[in-house]
Structure formats: structure tokens, C-alpha cells
């Protein structure tokens, strides 16, 4: 019986941000294939002595698949360690299809994605009552084209939170798309490089007009998340609309409202 291959989300960089399940699998693994310099620290920290550890950065997809299949013949637990969450820009299905074809069991362990880590680093929120209740995770077209209907300009027209991956070298395209969608030049934009990496994280706050210059000045040209959101800077707003969840007049499954209450819901508002 071959072993099982686990696609584990390593989180955004800080080894402490891997899930407990992911860490336990690493500790039990006979072989680990990790995705480049983004996750090596977690791999070497938690993998046991004698574990067969390989960096995939110089490998093609076919070579990676062959490596995983071969290791699964010898080890009960094999880990493919990916940055952030494996299901976001992680070539997951391209890797799992040949495993299924080869009769090898696999499963996915989710991870903290860099969008969440970037907002956490900056003390910002992805959603805010009556400001935006929607988050779009996207990118601009690089070598990978965007499918029809998903160009940034049309997504930005919703004026929700946009977390833009893989696009820091295309910041001018992001600026053009947001302007074309009607975002003001003074709209706040956040860029976080190496979110959660101990000692290496950079947080750049700017506006649609000046974010590119600020990133250039700080030499931020890779491994960075771009966030455009009407929630940015809310920590300093004096007139914040508060969440109904904690409103004394709001009843939900776990708390009765004060007698004056008029609002009820069964699940989180
Ligand atoms: N699966 C990963 C994304 C891989 S695509 C995830 O869920 O986060 C690689 C892109 O993710 C980079 O171009 C960058 O936009 C973003 N990214 C990855 N790690 C990051 C980090 N620590 N800080 C900021 N952005 C990061």
C-alpha cells in the first residue's frame, strides 16, 4: 500500500502560522517537498531527523509529481508544503490529478493565506459593517491570462475589499484598473511584503496615486500583497458603525438582547 500525500498550507511565512494539523503531519512525515524559500524554515523546523526534504524550486510539475509518487512508495506520510493556502494560486489540481491516476491517496490541509496575514500585520480588517461585506481575492493578468469577466476593472467596480496577489510588478496595471473603475486618487492602498516573516515584513501605506512610488522607494518588488479597500484606515475613524453582533439590542443564538431589543437572528449577522 503506498502512503498518503498531504498538500499542507504552510501559512504566509512565520513558521508559527502553520496549523496544528499541518505541523503534526510534518512531524510524522518521511518525505517533504517544499515550495521554495517561502516555506523552508517551517519544513526544517518541524520535519523529523532523517526526513527526506527537497526544495521544489528548480523542478517541473512532472518532476514534482514523480518525486511525490516515488516517496509515497516508501513512506506512509508524504507532505507537499505550500505557501499560504494550497488552493490559492498553488497548482493544486495539476498535482493531484496524476496522483489520483496513479492510485495514490491525497488530501489538503488549508493554510493561512497571505491576504489574511497582510491585513493582520497592518491591523486592518477585511470587512466592516455598512462599508463592505465582501472580499475579492484576485490578481492581474501576467503570463497567466484572466478568464473573461474577471478583469480587475470590472471586479473593482464593486468597491469591495480587493486582495491582489502576484501583481506587485504590475502595480501600474492595478492603478489603471482601479482608476478606470472610479476609485479616487486619494483612495488608500496597502502593500505588505513578506507578511508575518519575522524581521522582514514591510508595510507600505499609500494612496492610489502614490503607492507605486512608495513601493519603489522602499524597494518592494516581490512577495507582496496589494490591498485596496474602503475599510483601510478604519482604526482611526471617529464615527465607526459598530457591528450588530455585539450590539446590546441584538439577540442571537448565544446571547439575549436587552429588553429594548427589536432585532433577532439565528446565526451570526
Ligand atoms: N498560496 C499563497 C499564494 C501563492 S501566490 C497564499 O495563499 O498566500 C504568491 C503570491 O502570494 C505572491 O505574489 C504575493 O502576492 C502573495 N504572498 C505570498 N506570501 C506572502 C507574504 N508573506 N506576504 C505578502 N504577500 C505574500
Amino acid at each position: 500500500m503506498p502512503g498518503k500525500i498531504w498538500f499542507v498550507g504552510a501559512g504566509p511565512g512565520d513558521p508559527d502560522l502553520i496549523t496544528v494539523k499541518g505541523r503534526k503531519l510534518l512531524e510524522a512525515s518521511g518525505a517533504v517537498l517544499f515550495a521554495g524559500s517561502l516555506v523552508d524554515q517551517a519544513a526544517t523546523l518541524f520535519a523529523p531527523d532523517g526526513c527526506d526534504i527537497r526544495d521544489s524550486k528548480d523542478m517541473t510539475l512532472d518532476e514534482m509529481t514523480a518525486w511525490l509518487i516515488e516517496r509515497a512508495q516508501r513512506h506512509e506520510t508524504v507532505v507537499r508544503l505550500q505557501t499560504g493556502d494550497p488552493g490559492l494560486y498553488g497548482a493544486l489540481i495539476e498535482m493531484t490529478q496524476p496522483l489520483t491516476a496513479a492510485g495514490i491517496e491525497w488530501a489538503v490541509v488549508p493554510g493561512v493565506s497571505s491576504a489574511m496575514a497582510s491585513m493582520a500585520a497592518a491591523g486592518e480588517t477585511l470587512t466592516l459593517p455598512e462599508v463592505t461585506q465582501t472580499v475579492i481575492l484576485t490578481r492581474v493578468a501576467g503570463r497567466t491570462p484572466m478568464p473573461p469577466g474577471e478583469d480587475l476593472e470590472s471586479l473593482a467596480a464593486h468597491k469591495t475589499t480587493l486582495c491582489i496577489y502576484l501583481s506587485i510588478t504590475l502595480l501600474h496595471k492595478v492603478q489603471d484598473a482601479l482608476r478606470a473603475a472610479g476609485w479616487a486618487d486619494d483612495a488608500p492602498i496597502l502593500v505588505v511584503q513578506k507578511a508575518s516573516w519575522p524581521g522582514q515584513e514591510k508595510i507600505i501605506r499609500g494612496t492610489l496615486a502614490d503607492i507605486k512610488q512608495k513601493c519603489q522607494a522602499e524597494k518592494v518588488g516581490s512577495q507582496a500583497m496589494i490591498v485596496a479597500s474602503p475599510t483601510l484606515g478604519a482604526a482611526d475613524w471617529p464615527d465607526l458603525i459598530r457591528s450588530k453582533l455585539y450590539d446590546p439590542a441584538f439577540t442571537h443564538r448565544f446571547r439575549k438582547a436587552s429588553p429594548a431589543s427589536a432585532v433577532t437572528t439565528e446565526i451570526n449577522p
Side-chain angles (χ1 to χ4, degrees):
M1 259 296 271
K4 182 163 173 175
I5 297 178
W6 294 86
F7 292 85
V8 174
D14 180 349
D16 281 354
L17 286 177
I18 193 168
T19 62
V20 174
K21 181 162 185 159
R23 180 177 171 163
K24 283 183 180 164
L25 284 164
L26 273 178
E27 286 166 351
S29 64
V32 175
L33 184 63
F34 69 95
S37 55
L38 275 177
V39 288
D40 58 352
Q41 211 185 342
T44 49
L45 271 180
F46 302 129
D49 287 346
C51 180
D52 186 354
I53 301 178
R54 171 80 152 91
D55 185 349
S56 64
K57 69 169 177 275
D58 60 348
M59 294 165 95
T60 64
L61 202 71
D62 287 346
E63 286 166 347
M64 284 160 58
T65 311
W67 195 94
L68 290 170
I69 291 175
E70 206 270 321
R71 275 14 180 227
Q73 308 304 327
R74 287 192 269 141
H75 303 285
E76 201 181 320
T77 302
V78 176
V79 170
R80 163 64 180 160
L81 195 59
Q82 305 205 199
T83 143
D85 181 81
L88 272 169
Y89 310 112
L92 178 66
I93 303 305
E94 290 154 78
M95 281 191 275
T96 60
Q97 273 186 347
L99 300 181
T100 303
I104 291 179
E105 238 196 303
W106 56 269
V108 183
V109 178
V112 176
S113 187
S114 48
M116 286 74 207
S118 297
M119 290 299 260
E124 296 282 358
T125 182
L126 290 153
T127 62
L128 202 56
E130 298 184 39
V131 176
T132 184
Q133 296 285 285
T134 304
V135 181
I136 295 175
L137 308 180
T138 189
R139 60 172 299 172
V140 295
R143 273 177 297 179
T144 305
M146 291 302 281
E150 294 187 26
D151 57 285
L152 187 57
E153 179 180 336
S154 48
L155 297 175
H158 293 287
K159 304 278 169 65
T160 65
T161 297
L162 297 162
C163 298
I164 308 169
Y165 290 69
L166 293 162
S167 303
I168 192 67
T169 56
L170 302 167
L171 202 44
H172 56 283
K173 279 198 189 180
V174 173
Q175 287 173 308
D176 291 347
L178 265 61
R179 282 199 183 102
W183 290 59
D185 261 348
D186 64 356
I189 306 286
L190 173 73
V191 169
V192 183
Q193 184 181 44
K194 292 198 161 185
S196 87
W197 279 68
Q200 295 187 50
E201 181 177 273
K202 268 192 192 170
I203 298 173
I204 319 280
R205 291 176 185 275
T207 62
L208 183 54
D210 68 13
I211 192 69
K212 189 164 176 222
Q213 287 84 333
K214 285 193 168 174
C215 287
Q216 278 167 347
E218 295 283 337
K219 299 194 168 35
V220 170
S222 66
Q223 290 180 38
M225 175 66 47
I226 306 164
V227 182
S229 173
T231 68
L232 290 174
D236 299 325
W237 297 353
D239 52 354
L240 191 71
I241 297 163
R242 297 174 72 180
S243 169
K244 295 214 175 5
L245 184 58
Y246 304 109
D247 188 325
F250 201 72
T251 291
H252 58 69
R253 218 149 40 96
F254 305 108
R255 180 168 49 73
K256 270 253 175 293
S258 58
S261 129
V263 204
T264 306
T265 184
E266 278 187 53
I267 51 164
N268 286 358

